[in-house]
Amino acid sequence: MILVTGATGFLGKRVCRKLEERGLNFVRTSLSLGTDLRNQQETEALFAKAQLDYVLNCAAYVGGIQFGLKHSAELFRNNMLICIHLLEACRNFGVKRLVNPISNCAYPGKARLFQETEFWDGALDESVQFYGMARKMSYIGALAYQKQYGLDTVNLVLSNMYGPEDHFKEERSHALGALIMKMVQAKEKGEPAVTVWGTGKPVREWLYVDDGAEAMIRALDIQPYSDIINIGVASGVSIRELAETIKRFVGYAGELHYDADKIDGAPYKTVDGRIGEALLGWRPEVSLEQGIPKTVAWYIENRRHEHEGI
């Protein structure tokens, strides 16, 4: 039996759908489904109730750069509590494997192309140091539990994810979701310009959520591997290029203004996924040209439903 934590969240929903498509037995949990993984007793009770073999951990407390700066202590506390309680429960109830996703912001801020050998080569970018360090510590926790208790953990480094059912609120979303939201609303209201935070220069690699979910499930079947595993294609676009692409798919005719007073974050975030491709026998498949229109269409349709009360 597989447990999917954070099952009602962005990544968790897609993981559950893929498990259903494969006909695999799994159970869902999330805060909205009644289990608070920040509480040790609730976590232990969940594991005691189900005979679990594997855990796909999609539970996280996360948002965009501005959210992280405003809620730094909450980001650290909530994510560390989830991590510690899951590791303890997996050990105590004999889970065969925990698949643990790590954000690529756990890499050093100076890195350009993220390679596994550079994971410890410097400080994190200041804009993401709290969330990034919490995710980095989740890997340290996994190593500690492997060393002392033999707990099998696969640690995947995932690029910034996007896609249907993401957060579409300015503070909680990453740049891609926020830009879709802004441009769709500006088009609807006939606004002449949209403001893009930062200079537009930072380069980001984006991972379509279905590819992130596929990586999580494929990690169930690989041989034990104690190092981190990058999931990516070593290709990114600048925020300026991203904004222009979104503008094209939204059909927005206004101008884009860049607010250089807003924080840019790390200058580069692209991921060398060659080791991951070799281990999983697969690499991310959905390009931005494929994924952005799907995301735009979902957002427009669901805004329509909200407006019509469907």
Side-chain angles (χ1 to χ4, degrees):
M1 182 67 72
I2 302 167
L3 173 67
V4 180
T5 67
T8 57
F10 178 41
L11 175 61
K13 287 179 182 177
R14 296 291 172 154
V15 167
C16 290
R17 287 173 192 167
K18 284 185 173 287
L19 291 172
E20 287 174 342
E21 291 169 0
R22 285 168 161 84
L24 297 173
N25 293 324
F26 70 97
V27 292
R28 297 174 170 89
T29 190
S30 69
L31 186 60
S32 64
L33 292 175
T35 300
D36 187 348
L37 297 175
R38 297 169 299 182
N39 181 287
Q40 184 176 0
Q41 288 71 34
E42 290 187 30
T43 306
E44 296 276 336
L46 170 69
F47 276 69
K49 183 178 180 180
Q51 296 293 321
L52 299 174
D53 299 301
Y54 304 99
V55 175
L56 296 173
N57 179 29
C58 302
Y61 185 79
V62 64
I65 287 179
Q66 292 299 316
F67 183 83
L69 294 173
K70 289 181 181 178
H71 303 275
S72 54
E74 294 169 64
L75 279 171
F76 183 77
R77 181 179 67 249
N78 290 334
N79 286 296
M80 290 312 303
L81 287 172
I82 291 169
C83 169
I84 291 167
H85 295 155
L86 278 179
L87 287 170
E88 268 292 281
C90 287
R91 172 179 81 93
N92 291 335
F93 291 91
V95 167
K96 296 177 182 178
R97 172 166 290 176
L98 166 65
V99 180
N100 180 45
I102 302 171
S103 170
N104 66 0
C105 67
Y107 266 96
K110 67 180 182 180
R112 294 175 66 93
L113 176 61
F114 296 171
Q115 296 177 305
E116 289 91 342
T117 55
E118 299 177 349
F119 194 61
W120 300 103
D121 288 355
L124 278 58
D125 188 82
E126 185 177 0
S127 65
V128 292
Q129 63 179 327
F130 304 111
Y131 181 69
M133 187 56 72
R135 301 315 301 168
K136 200 157 193 161
M137 290 300 293
S138 75
Y139 173 54
I140 288 294
L143 285 180
Y145 274 70
Q146 284 178 13
K147 183 176 180 62
Q148 185 168 348
Y149 303 118
L151 179 63
D152 184 343
T153 306
V154 175
N155 300 276
L156 303 178
V157 177
L158 304 179
S159 295
N160 292 339
M161 279 185 289
Y162 74 100
E165 300 177 288
D166 195 359
H167 287 292
F168 287 95
K169 295 181 179 178
E170 190 161 354
E171 189 176 85
R172 289 301 300 270
S173 63
H174 290 292
L176 194 153
L179 286 171
I180 289 175
M181 176 193 70
K182 285 182 176 182
M183 289 192 212
V184 169
Q185 293 179 2
K187 180 182 177 182
E188 290 175 349
K189 297 176 182 178
E191 295 175 351
V194 164
T195 298
V196 181
W197 285 11
T199 64
K201 295 178 181 179
V203 172
R204 297 287 182 267
E205 180 170 334
W206 296 92
L207 182 68
Y208 192 67
V209 64
D210 285 345
D211 281 340
E214 182 68 22
M216 294 283 290
I217 295 171
R218 284 177 176 260
L220 292 171
D221 297 323
I222 69 173
Q223 292 296 311
Y225 193 84
S226 60
D227 199 358
I228 57 170
I229 302 171
N230 285 344
I231 304 299
V233 296
S235 177
V237 297
S238 71
I239 297 298
R240 186 177 294 272
E241 292 174 282
L242 178 69
E244 292 291 346
T245 301
I246 292 170
K247 179 181 176 181
R248 171 162 52 89
F249 282 116
V250 169
Y252 175 60
E255 297 182 354
L256 301 180
H257 295 165
Y258 293 85
D259 183 356
D261 291 332
K262 294 292 194 298
I263 191 169
D264 266 340
Y268 290 92
K269 285 187 181 180
T270 57
V271 178
D272 184 342
R274 288 175 294 178
I275 291 175
E277 182 177 352
L279 292 171
L280 273 61
W282 168 90
R283 73 200 299 259
E285 298 172 342
V286 181
S287 69
L288 281 174
E289 288 289 321
Q290 296 168 315
I292 288 177
K294 293 179 182 180
T295 308
V296 169
W298 183 90
Y299 177 68
I300 291 172
E301 181 67 14
N302 282 270
R303 275 179 56 78
R304 184 180 69 81
H305 286 177
E306 288 177 6
H307 293 163
E308 296 177 357
I310 296 175

